[in-house]
Amino acid sequence: MAMSQIKEESAPAASAEFESAVSVKNITKNYGDVEALRDMSLEFPRGQLTSLLGPSGCGKTTLLKIIAGLLEPTSGTVEVGGKEVTDPGPDRAFVFQDFALLPWASVIRNVAFGLEMRGVAASEREAIAEKYIKDVGLAGFENAYPHELSGGMRQRVGLARALSVDADVLLMDEPFSAVDEQTRRKFQEDLLALVQNENKTFLFVTHSIEEAVYVSDQIAILLPRPSRVSEIIRPSSFRNKGVDNIRRDPEYLDIVDEIWASLRSYVE
Amino acid sequence: MILFGYRLPGMSSLLVWGLLWEIVGQSGLTFFVPPLSEVTATLFSIIGTAAFQKALFETAYAFLVGVASAILIGIPVGILMGKSRLLDELLLPWVNVFLSAPLTALVPVLMVLFGFGMKSIIITTALFAIWIIILNSRAGVRQINRSLVEMAHSFGASPVDAFFKIYFWAALPEILGGVRIGIIRAVKGVIIGQLLISIVGFGALFELYSANFLMGHFWAVLIVLFALAFTISEFLAYLERRVAYYAAKR
Amino acid sequence: MQNRALLLKLLSAVLLFGAWEIAGRVPVSFAFPTFLESMAALVRMTLDGTMLTAYAETLKPLAIGVAISAFLGIAIGLWVGLSKFFDWLFSPIFIVMQAAPLAALIPLLVLAYGIGLTSKVLVVCIMAMPVIVLNTSGAVRNTPESYKEMGRSFLASDLSILVRIIIPAASPVIFAGLRLGISAGFIGAILSELKITPTGVGDIITYSRSIADYPSMYAAIFSIILLAVLFLNLLEKIELALFKGNERGYVSD
């Protein structure tokens, strides 16, 4: 599994080396007197997966929802593909932590929801939805209802829904936190393949250090009180060694240890 | 509701409605709605009268006796149903029937069996309240966590100890929930009983006022009744919240 | 085990009706007919058409009242659930109505609207509407936030979010509110026939009591309770079938 664009040693100069798909500029978000995010700036390279990693309360989900246009920042701007955005748009698709599947709708209707809202004709959107249902490995479950599926299968539906609208940017809010450990590992492997095969930019919120290091091209470590980006890590050597070898690669292990060392003091 | 950055209390809109009432009343739009100020004045003038106090006393008496019997019979029956499968299967269908049945239809039967008096009203009140109390007590006993029961066994609690120190408390939130809904139903039951057997309590008062077109008096009594009912219901909800804090955590 | 449950249901019916029969034979009161006498009266009144005409009369205010309450109640409930201002303005009214013994309004309604159909429909409405409004507004308010966020992030319009997400998500609780409202409506319909003017089933009850034809009186009461319970059970079955897999919750009275 060879990556087409292999990036060697990282640097703060990442934004200069890579074209940004999403850039966050001086975002501040206050809830009343509580400061959730303070003056945060971050670049997300096109075609890569960037993780937002941090302890709970560091504002990573808030930042993701601001990028999605679901929350309004108190100040600062978000640019997607060079254009400033304030509302949800066709250039971004969201994968929810709790799946957010409509329980009264079948799998195919859930997957086709985004297309339906875009005014795609019924026959066309069903064809597209069927393709993506097959891609995520749920062929045969088109007419099943969410309550008939396991947690892992439900998130596959959520993923198919986000893929089917063909947005440039996929926003994933702790997508694997509600599924069991084995399923999560399978998801992580599938996600790596997805990043490679689809020409999309992935923003991935997680609280698992191992998960972030395993799937990411770039890891932004967020620290709380006040919320800030403390570090950006770009793993360089293990991405092209195959999914089975990543977890015993020395660099992988070093990065995991390094991140834990910097986060340790923030765990209550 | 936030107005000019100031958070309005939950029930404050009732003041707006009171003002609207006053305006409609003052405008003389309809004979049936006198101004709120007039109704309030009437309220204070009749609250001390013998007729009003008699009605209040009779109603409170019927209500309290009815509720007390519903609780005293309902909780043990519910607990027994929760414990015994045979009893449960024999009684549950009927409890469910009477829970959703229009009990007003039974009042005429009570009238011919128990006479046009207090006894029928008390039984009506109890009938309105008892079924939900039974059902909730049963549900409370049935949901007791098995590991609590096993814990009691393993620490050597006697059956009596286990009942009073564990089962009763474990089922208490559900039982109290049932009692609260039962009491709210009993308020409605006692008034329905008095309306149909209209020679006692507020039923008699309503007959008197509407026969003489005393609208101010009528509304004054309604306000007292509604306020009492609302206070009772909120007070019980408050009590329930104080106990229910551990119900969610089981 | 299926058999045991059915057997016990039958046994419990036999026990209750048997006790009724024995109590009637003793008799515990001159006004307490036996079960068999009452059932004979029920069959007789059903066959000679008395019941049919009576129910046509009784169900009219009930059906009109429930239809008005459902339409207005769900509309107001949606409105209250969607707007913080209307929530503040209207919720207290319905919360008080839900706790209050609204039956006390009947004498006033009779004064204002006479003893005709209008008053009876209004009685059904005031009994049925509060629970429908409160259930609807509560369900709308409790629509899971992530469903709404999902709608917005996939570019649904406000109308689409209401029609495609909020209303379907709320419908199990709205339906439960309708069922509770109909249950209260039955109480109101019978109350108005007994209190305002004896018509329909209320007429059979009142008339047969006045001529001491107790079997007919008990038969009429038995029939209305049976009808209400069967109808409400049917609604509950429909509810279970319709909303399988949706999470369910109730705002109870």
Side-chain angles (χ1 to χ4, degrees), chain B residues 110-183:
Chain B
L110 299 176
M111 277 153 73
V112 295
L113 290 179
F114 301 103
F116 287 68
M118 201 55 114
K119 219 195 273 173
S120 295
I121 296 178
I122 291 173
I123 296 175
T124 308
T125 311
L127 274 181
F128 267 76
I130 195 167
W131 311 106
I132 189 70
I133 296 179
I134 295 181
L135 210 61
N136 267 38
S137 308
R138 167 185 178 273
V141 172
R142 284 171 69 99
Q143 60 73 39
I144 292 177
N145 197 333
R146 271 232 51 91
S147 62
L148 267 187
V149 178
E150 281 160 7
M151 186 276 287
H153 271 297
S154 69
F155 284 101
S158 71
V160 177
D161 265 356
F163 186 86
F164 284 106
K165 295 203 171 131
I166 294 175
Y167 303 155
F168 177 75
W169 292 101
L172 193 60
E174 276 83 4
I175 295 179
L176 276 185
V179 169
R180 179 177 66 85
I181 302 173
I183 288 180

Side-chain angles (χ1 to χ4, degrees), chain C residues 33 97 138 211 249:
Chain C
M97 281 175 82
I211 61 165

Side-chain angles (χ1 to χ4, degrees), chain C residues 80-95:
Chain C
V80 167
L82 290 171
S83 148
K84 281 205 166 64
F85 175 69
F86 287 106
D87 184 25
W88 172 80
L89 191 62
F90 284 110
S91 283
I93 297 275
F94 289 102
I95 293 171

Side-chain angles (χ1 to χ4, degrees), chain A residues 65 70 88 96 98 103-104 116, chain C residues 146-147 149-150 152 164 168:
Chain A
K65 288 194 171 167
L70 293 171
F96 292 84
D98 63 354
W104 55 87
E116 193 182 343
Chain C
S146 73
Y147 289 5
E149 282 189 339
M150 190 282 286
R152 285 177 54 211
R164 313 302 294 275

Side-chain angles (χ1 to χ4, degrees), chain A residues 79-99:
Chain A
E79 285 178 10
V80 177
K83 278 192 287 266
E84 189 181 330
V85 294
T86 50
D87 289 314
D91 47 3
R92 286 150 290 152
F94 206 100
V95 178
F96 292 84
Q97 181 178 10
D98 63 354
F99 321 137

Side-chain angles (χ1 to χ4, degrees), chain A residues 66-82:
Chain A
I66 288 174
I67 296 171
L70 293 171
L71 289 178
E72 209 178 314
T74 310
S75 66
T77 55
V78 175
E79 285 178 10
V80 177

